[in-house]
PDB file of all heavy atoms in Angstrom:
ATOM      1  N   THR A  79       3.572   0.616  -9.665  1.00 97.00           N
ATOM      2  CA  THR A  79       4.439   0.404  -8.602  1.00 97.00           C
ATOM      3  C   THR A  79       5.084  -0.972  -8.965  1.00 97.00           C
ATOM      4  O   THR A  79       4.470  -1.935  -9.245  1.00 97.00           O
ATOM      5  CB  THR A  79       3.757   0.356  -7.271  1.00 97.00           C
ATOM      6  OG1 THR A  79       3.077   1.529  -7.035  1.00 97.00           O
ATOM      7  CG2 THR A  79       4.717   0.028  -6.104  1.00 97.00           C
ATOM      8  N   MET A  80       6.433  -1.029  -8.836  1.00 96.00           N
ATOM      9  CA  MET A  80       7.223  -2.235  -9.229  1.00 96.00           C
ATOM     10  C   MET A  80       7.232  -3.213  -8.049  1.00 96.00           C
ATOM     11  O   MET A  80       7.545  -2.794  -6.895  1.00 96.00           O
ATOM     12  CB  MET A  80       8.626  -1.884  -9.538  1.00 96.00           C
ATOM     13  CG  MET A  80       8.736  -1.134 -10.833  1.00 96.00           C
ATOM     14  SD  MET A  80       8.184  -2.042 -12.346  1.00 96.00           S
ATOM     15  CE  MET A  80       6.524  -1.248 -12.510  1.00 96.00           C
ATOM     16  N   PRO A  81       6.897  -4.512  -8.313  1.00 95.00           N
ATOM     17  CA  PRO A  81       7.015  -5.515  -7.339  1.00 95.00           C
ATOM     18  C   PRO A  81       8.466  -5.911  -7.389  1.00 95.00           C
ATOM     19  O   PRO A  81       9.297  -5.575  -8.198  1.00 95.00           O
ATOM     20  CB  PRO A  81       6.229  -6.660  -7.881  1.00 95.00           C
ATOM     21  CG  PRO A  81       6.208  -6.565  -9.299  1.00 95.00           C
ATOM     22  CD  PRO A  81       6.288  -5.007  -9.583  1.00 95.00           C
ATOM     23  N   SER A  82       8.970  -6.610  -6.281  1.00 95.00           N
ATOM     24  CA  SER A  82      10.442  -7.022  -6.180  1.00 95.00           C
ATOM     25  C   SER A  82      10.827  -7.824  -7.384  1.00 95.00           C
ATOM     26  O   SER A  82      12.020  -7.625  -7.789  1.00 95.00           O
ATOM     27  CB  SER A  82      10.625  -7.859  -4.866  1.00 95.00           C
ATOM     28  OG  SER A  82      10.314  -7.118  -3.794  1.00 95.00           O
ATOM     29  N   GLU A  83       9.991  -8.604  -7.943  1.00 95.00           N
ATOM     30  CA  GLU A  83      10.316  -9.529  -9.137  1.00 95.00           C
ATOM     31  C   GLU A  83      10.600  -8.764 -10.334  1.00 95.00           C
ATOM     32  O   GLU A  83      11.266  -9.290 -11.288  1.00 95.00           O
ATOM     33  CB  GLU A  83       9.332 -10.603  -9.366  1.00 95.00           C
ATOM     34  CG  GLU A  83       7.902 -10.134  -9.580  1.00 95.00           C
ATOM     35  CD  GLU A  83       7.068 -10.180  -8.333  1.00 95.00           C
ATOM     36  OE1 GLU A  83       7.721 -10.045  -7.217  1.00 95.00           O
ATOM     37  OE2 GLU A  83       5.885 -10.412  -8.443  1.00 95.00           O
ATOM     38  N   ALA A  84      10.316  -7.459 -10.445  1.00 96.00           N
ATOM     39  CA  ALA A  84      10.695  -6.659 -11.618  1.00 96.00           C
ATOM     40  C   ALA A  84      12.090  -6.512 -11.886  1.00 96.00           C
ATOM     41  O   ALA A  84      12.604  -6.238 -12.883  1.00 96.00           O
ATOM     42  CB  ALA A  84      10.015  -5.317 -11.490  1.00 96.00           C
ATOM     43  N   ALA A  85      12.921  -6.712 -10.679  1.00 96.00           N
ATOM     44  CA  ALA A  85      14.377  -6.788 -10.784  1.00 96.00           C
ATOM     45  C   ALA A  85      14.876  -7.997 -11.521  1.00 96.00           C
ATOM     46  O   ALA A  85      16.032  -7.930 -12.171  1.00 96.00           O
ATOM     47  CB  ALA A  85      15.029  -6.536  -9.424  1.00 96.00           C
ATOM     48  N   GLU A  86      14.131  -9.006 -11.379  1.00 95.00           N
ATOM     49  CA  GLU A  86      14.717 -10.350 -11.972  1.00 95.00           C
ATOM     50  C   GLU A  86      13.976 -10.711 -13.222  1.00 95.00           C
ATOM     51  O   GLU A  86      14.390 -11.642 -13.924  1.00 95.00           O
ATOM     52  CB  GLU A  86      14.506 -11.388 -10.873  1.00 95.00           C
ATOM     53  CG  GLU A  86      15.004 -11.143  -9.492  1.00 95.00           C
ATOM     54  CD  GLU A  86      16.431 -10.835  -9.463  1.00 95.00           C
ATOM     55  OE1 GLU A  86      17.224 -11.223 -10.381  1.00 95.00           O
ATOM     56  OE2 GLU A  86      16.755 -10.020  -8.616  1.00 95.00           O
ATOM     57  N   LYS A  87      12.781 -10.058 -13.501  1.00 95.00           N
ATOM     58  CA  LYS A  87      12.035 -10.453 -14.678  1.00 95.00           C
ATOM     59  C   LYS A  87      11.836  -9.341 -15.705  1.00 95.00           C
ATOM     60  O   LYS A  87      10.892  -8.549 -15.666  1.00 95.00           O
ATOM     61  CB  LYS A  87      10.581 -10.959 -14.258  1.00 95.00           C
ATOM     62  CG  LYS A  87      10.647 -12.274 -13.420  1.00 95.00           C
ATOM     63  CD  LYS A  87       9.300 -12.687 -12.975  1.00 95.00           C
ATOM     64  CE  LYS A  87       9.339 -13.948 -12.158  1.00 95.00           C
ATOM     65  NZ  LYS A  87       7.925 -14.307 -11.682  1.00 95.00           N
ATOM     66  N   PRO A  88      12.823  -9.207 -16.583  1.00 96.00           N
ATOM     67  CA  PRO A  88      12.677  -8.154 -17.603  1.00 96.00           C
ATOM     68  C   PRO A  88      11.380  -8.170 -18.420  1.00 96.00           C
ATOM     69  O   PRO A  88      10.880  -7.234 -18.880  1.00 96.00           O
ATOM     70  CB  PRO A  88      13.938  -8.420 -18.591  1.00 96.00           C
ATOM     71  CG  PRO A  88      14.763  -9.230 -17.645  1.00 96.00           C
ATOM     72  CD  PRO A  88      13.962 -10.140 -16.798  1.00 96.00           C
ATOM     73  N   GLY A  89      10.872  -9.475 -18.591  1.00 96.00           N
ATOM     74  CA  GLY A  89       9.606  -9.577 -19.395  1.00 96.00           C
ATOM     75  C   GLY A  89       8.468  -8.901 -18.841  1.00 96.00           C
ATOM     76  O   GLY A  89       7.630  -8.382 -19.405  1.00 96.00           O
ATOM     77  N   LEU A  90       8.412  -8.890 -17.414  1.00 96.00           N
ATOM     78  CA  LEU A  90       7.355  -8.210 -16.677  1.00 96.00           C
ATOM     79  C   LEU A  90       7.325  -6.655 -16.941  1.00 96.00           C
ATOM     80  O   LEU A  90       6.303  -6.077 -17.261  1.00 96.00           O
ATOM     81  CB  LEU A  90       7.429  -8.474 -15.182  1.00 96.00           C
ATOM     82  CG  LEU A  90       6.508  -7.666 -14.343  1.00 96.00           C
ATOM     83  CD1 LEU A  90       5.066  -7.945 -14.567  1.00 96.00           C
ATOM     84  CD2 LEU A  90       6.825  -7.987 -12.852  1.00 96.00           C
ATOM     85  N   VAL A  91       8.560  -6.109 -16.898  1.00 97.00           N
ATOM     86  CA  VAL A  91       8.690  -4.679 -17.110  1.00 97.00           C
ATOM     87  C   VAL A  91       8.267  -4.361 -18.605  1.00 97.00           C
ATOM     88  O   VAL A  91       7.657  -3.357 -18.880  1.00 97.00           O
ATOM     89  CB  VAL A  91      10.133  -4.216 -16.796  1.00 97.00           C
ATOM     90  CG1 VAL A  91      10.275  -2.716 -17.041  1.00 97.00           C
ATOM     91  CG2 VAL A  91      10.406  -4.506 -15.290  1.00 97.00           C
ATOM     92  N   PHE A  92       8.838  -5.192 -19.489  1.00 97.00           N
ATOM     93  CA  PHE A  92       8.438  -4.976 -20.927  1.00 97.00           C
ATOM     94  C   PHE A  92       6.974  -5.018 -21.147  1.00 97.00           C
ATOM     95  O   PHE A  92       6.448  -4.187 -21.797  1.00 97.00           O
ATOM     96  CB  PHE A  92       9.179  -6.200 -21.775  1.00 97.00           C
ATOM     97  CG  PHE A  92       8.907  -6.076 -23.175  1.00 97.00           C
ATOM     98  CD1 PHE A  92       9.836  -5.420 -24.050  1.00 97.00           C
ATOM     99  CD2 PHE A  92       7.864  -6.616 -23.776  1.00 97.00           C
ATOM    100  CE1 PHE A  92       9.689  -5.308 -25.360  1.00 97.00           C
ATOM    101  CE2 PHE A  92       7.634  -6.685 -25.151  1.00 97.00           C
ATOM    102  CZ  PHE A  92       8.532  -5.927 -25.986  1.00 97.00           C
ATOM    103  N   ASP A  93       6.254  -5.987 -20.591  1.00 96.00           N
ATOM    104  CA  ASP A  93       4.783  -6.099 -20.706  1.00 96.00           C
ATOM    105  C   ASP A  93       4.144  -4.896 -20.233  1.00 96.00           C
ATOM    106  O   ASP A  93       3.149  -4.400 -20.756  1.00 96.00           O
ATOM    107  CB  ASP A  93       4.299  -7.390 -20.058  1.00 96.00           C
ATOM    108  CG  ASP A  93       4.654  -8.639 -20.744  1.00 96.00           C
ATOM    109  OD1 ASP A  93       5.240  -8.592 -21.849  1.00 96.00           O
ATOM    110  OD2 ASP A  93       4.663  -9.744 -20.051  1.00 96.00           O
ATOM    111  N   LEU A  94       4.530  -4.341 -18.969  1.00 97.00           N
ATOM    112  CA  LEU A  94       3.951  -3.220 -18.515  1.00 97.00           C
ATOM    113  C   LEU A  94       4.050  -1.944 -19.260  1.00 97.00           C
ATOM    114  O   LEU A  94       3.176  -1.101 -19.546  1.00 97.00           O
ATOM    115  CB  LEU A  94       4.406  -2.931 -17.039  1.00 97.00           C
ATOM    116  CG  LEU A  94       4.045  -4.097 -15.924  1.00 97.00           C
ATOM    117  CD1 LEU A  94       4.844  -3.783 -14.658  1.00 97.00           C
ATOM    118  CD2 LEU A  94       2.580  -4.047 -15.728  1.00 97.00           C
ATOM    119  N   LEU A  95       5.326  -1.903 -19.829  1.00 97.00           N
ATOM    120  CA  LEU A  95       5.653  -0.684 -20.677  1.00 97.00           C
ATOM    121  C   LEU A  95       4.827  -0.730 -22.006  1.00 97.00           C
ATOM    122  O   LEU A  95       4.218   0.203 -22.426  1.00 97.00           O
ATOM    123  CB  LEU A  95       7.135  -0.580 -21.073  1.00 97.00           C
ATOM    124  CG  LEU A  95       7.599   0.603 -21.810  1.00 97.00           C
ATOM    125  CD1 LEU A  95       7.181   2.002 -21.100  1.00 97.00           C
ATOM    126  CD2 LEU A  95       9.000   0.558 -22.213  1.00 97.00           C
ATOM    127  N   LYS A  96       4.764  -1.937 -22.514  1.00 96.00           N
ATOM    128  CA  LYS A  96       3.917  -2.129 -23.786  1.00 96.00           C
ATOM    129  C   LYS A  96       2.513  -1.996 -23.452  1.00 96.00           C
ATOM    130  O   LYS A  96       1.769  -1.487 -24.344  1.00 96.00           O
ATOM    131  CB  LYS A  96       4.179  -3.608 -24.276  1.00 96.00           C
ATOM    132  CG  LYS A  96       3.582  -3.849 -25.615  1.00 96.00           C
ATOM    133  CD  LYS A  96       3.941  -5.277 -26.198  1.00 96.00           C
ATOM    134  CE  LYS A  96       3.308  -5.513 -27.563  1.00 96.00           C
ATOM    135  NZ  LYS A  96       3.599  -6.960 -27.986  1.00 96.00           N
TER     136      LYS A  96
END
Side-chain angles (χ1 to χ4, degrees):
T79 303
M80 290 298 102
S82 298
E83 54 264 34
E86 313 300 334
K87 295 181 178 179
L90 171 61
V91 178
F92 181 90
D93 289 346
L94 292 173
L95 185 62
K96 187 177 180 181

